[in-house]
Amino acid sequence: MSPKSSSLAAPPKKREPRAVSRWGQDRRLEFIDFRLQWDGRLNRSDLVSFFGISVPQASLDIARYAEIAPSNLEYDRSARLYVAGQSFSAVYPGSNASRYLNELLAREAGVLPPEASFLGWTPPIAAMPVPGRALEPQTVSGLLRAVREGTGVRVTYQSMSRPEPVERKLTPHAFGHDGFRWHVRAYCHTRDEFRDFVIARMTNVVPSASAGPGAEEDEKWNKVLTLTLVPNPKLSSAHRQAIATDFGMVNGEVWLECRQALAFYVLRHLGLLVDMPDQPETQQVVLKNRSEVLPHLNLRQLAA
C-alpha cells in the first residue's frame, strides 16, 4: 500500500500562528485575517481605505492570503465580497478574542481612534464609567525621562498624610496601574524606601542629577507572588463549576502572578482583602493561599 493511501499516514501539520511585521504586506495580511475572523467578510475597498493602497495591490494581498490559508475565505459573487470559510482558522495570533474586545473597549473609551483599529462593524457597547485622572504631559514626560536615563527628579507632591504639598526627591524606575489610576514606582529619598506615588498628585517635575537606588534594589518590585483563586466553597457545586469555567480554571484553580508591590491593588480590585461574606454570590472567587500572601502586603508602602 502506498503511503498516500495508508491509514497510518502522518496527519497534516497544524498551522502555526504567523509572526507579524510592523509594516508591509504581512501587516495587511493580518488585517485580512482579523476582518474575516470578526466581521466574517472583506472587500478590496477595506484594504484600500485603511492602508491607502491601490485596488490592484489589494487584490494581490487577498490572493496571497488565499495561498497561505485557502480554506479561510470564499468569494460571494452575489455580494461581490469575500466571506470567511466554514472551516476558518485564524492565521495570526493578533486575531484573538482578547484583542478584539480590548480594541472595542478602547474605541468606546475614545482612547483608540477608529483609523488606528482593525475593527470594522462594531456592535452596540456600553462600558462602566470611571472618573478620569488629570495627568499633565510635562509631568509624565519628566518621569519617563528620569526612568529612561536612571536619574532623579524633584517634584511637588500632595500626599494624603499632609495638609499641604511638599517637595519630594524621587528616583523613579517603573510605572504601575492599579486598575483606576497611574502610579510611578520610585525610591523616596525622604523616607529612604521604595514607594508608589500617584502621578496625578505631582506637579513641577524637575530633573535632579543625583539618583538613588534603582529597580534592581527594589525587592518588592522584583519579587513575584502567585495568587491562587478558587470558586467560593460556599457556592453550590453547579455554581462553583460555572465560576471555574468562567475564569478558565484548571482543576478548580486559576493562578495570577503579580509583583509583590502590586499585590494589594490586585486583591482590592478583586474584593479579596476581606474575609468571605455570608452571601457567597457577592464574592464568587476567594484567595486559596491567603495565609501565604497577606504577610507580603505592607500597607505603609502603598500609594502615598
Side-chain angles (χ1 to χ4, degrees):
M1 183 181 294
S2 67
K4 187 174 182 179
S5 60
S6 172
S7 60
L8 300 179
K13 292 183 179 180
K14 183 179 179 180
R15 185 169 59 229
E16 295 295 330
R18 293 173 62 89
V20 183
S21 61
R22 294 187 63 185
W23 310 109
Q25 188 183 56
D26 213 39
R27 181 68 170 166
R28 301 193 295 273
L29 297 181
E30 185 197 16
F31 176 89
I32 296 171
D33 196 58
F34 188 93
R35 282 291 179 90
L36 288 173
Q37 170 77 301
W38 301 113
D39 276 17
R41 60 185 61 197
L42 175 86
N43 206 330
R44 281 184 287 266
S45 62
D46 296 328
L47 286 160
V48 171
S49 61
F50 190 89
F51 292 100
I53 59 176
S54 65
V55 173
Q57 181 61 61
S59 298
L60 290 174
D61 292 337
I62 294 173
R64 176 57 183 151
Y65 182 84
E67 291 177 4
I68 297 170
S71 61
N72 271 9
L73 76 168
E74 301 169 357
Y75 187 69
D76 185 332
R77 294 186 180 278
S78 60
R80 295 184 178 181
L81 50 74
Y82 293 90
V83 297
Q86 292 185 353
S87 58
F88 178 89
S89 177
V91 178
Y92 290 83
S95 297
N96 60 65
S98 293
R99 175 183 173 181
Y100 176 83
L101 293 174
N102 284 333
E103 287 202 14
L104 197 62
L105 183 60
R107 283 266 300 266
E108 170 68 13
V111 176
L112 185 68
E115 62 271 14
S117 168
F118 279 3
L119 296 180
W121 174 87
T122 58
I125 175 178
M128 180 180 69
V130 177
R133 302 278 176 165
L135 297 174
E136 293 295 332
Q138 297 86 346
T139 299
V140 177
S141 62
L143 294 171
L144 286 170
R145 189 178 304 110
V147 172
R148 182 177 61 246
E149 299 175 359
T151 57
V153 292
R154 292 189 181 278
V155 305
T156 301
Y157 190 73
Q158 177 63 72
S159 71
M160 298 305 293
S161 60
R162 294 175 179 269
E164 300 294 336
V166 296
E167 184 179 87
R168 293 280 190 98
K169 183 181 177 184
L170 309 175
T171 300
H173 68 77
F175 284 70
H177 194 269
D178 67 2
F180 295 100
R181 59 189 183 181
W182 281 99
H183 304 156
V184 66
R185 184 72 177 174
Y187 175 78
C188 176
H189 293 248
T190 302
R191 296 183 179 272
D192 191 26
E193 63 183 6
F194 289 96
R195 297 174 68 88
D196 303 328
F197 295 88
V198 179
I199 298 176
R201 297 181 192 161
M202 293 182 178
T203 57
N204 304 323
V205 178
V206 179
S208 175
S210 60
E216 66 281 356
E217 297 188 41
D218 188 349
E219 295 182 3
K220 292 180 175 58
W221 179 261
N222 294 311
K223 183 177 179 61
V224 175
L225 302 179
T226 299
L227 311 179
T228 304
L229 306 184
V230 298
N232 192 323
K234 295 181 179 180
L235 290 169
S236 68
S237 176
H239 288 163
R240 291 198 303 272
Q241 182 57 50
I243 296 302
T245 302
D246 187 17
F247 282 81
M249 294 182 177
V250 178
N251 297 324
E253 297 182 352
V254 67
W255 305 273
L256 301 180
E257 291 191 342
C258 73
R259 298 181 185 275
Q260 182 180 348
L262 298 178
F264 172 86
Y265 305 120
V266 174
L267 297 180
R268 182 177 65 181
H269 191 70
L270 295 174
L272 299 178
L273 284 175
V274 298
D275 293 329
M276 288 185 291
D278 294 333
Q279 294 181 325
E281 291 79 8
T282 63
Q283 186 174 312
Q284 298 171 348
V285 296
V286 297
L287 183 63
K288 180 180 179 180
N289 59 337
R290 184 182 182 86
S291 61
E292 300 173 13
V293 172
L294 291 188
H296 293 285
L297 304 185
N298 188 341
L299 303 187
R300 291 191 311 107
Q301 293 188 311
L302 301 178

